Amino acid sequence: MIKRRGLSAGLKGVHAHRWRHNFAHEWKRAGGDTGDLMLLLGWTSEDMPRHYGESAAAERPQETQLRMGIGEHV
């Protein structure tokens, strides 16, 4: 269904796994709890949020550091 909706909107490469990767990334960026993410997406293994969130994992600590400002005024 997601693929069909993407195609009808003129988008290529839309699929459930991409949505799950993006959802996990945004959830973690917003400070969401990993356990809650697992419940929402039906995951039973902690490997899944790690796998689905790792595609953008480097961005999250950089954003946190900028928000906290640690080391900015050294």
Side-chain angles (χ1 to χ4, degrees), residues 15-26 28 34 37-38 41 43 45-58 60:
H15 50 81
H17 291 291
R18 180 168 290 162
W19 179 84
R20 289 170 86 84
H21 278 280
N22 188 62
F23 187 90
H25 171 63
E26 292 299 325
K28 297 298 279 182
T34 299
L37 177 63
M38 289 174 62
L41 297 180
W43 294 330
S45 166
E46 291 194 18
D47 291 336
M48 296 309 290
R50 211 171 5 261
H51 170 73
Y52 278 91
E54 77 182 7
S55 60
R60 290 190 301 269

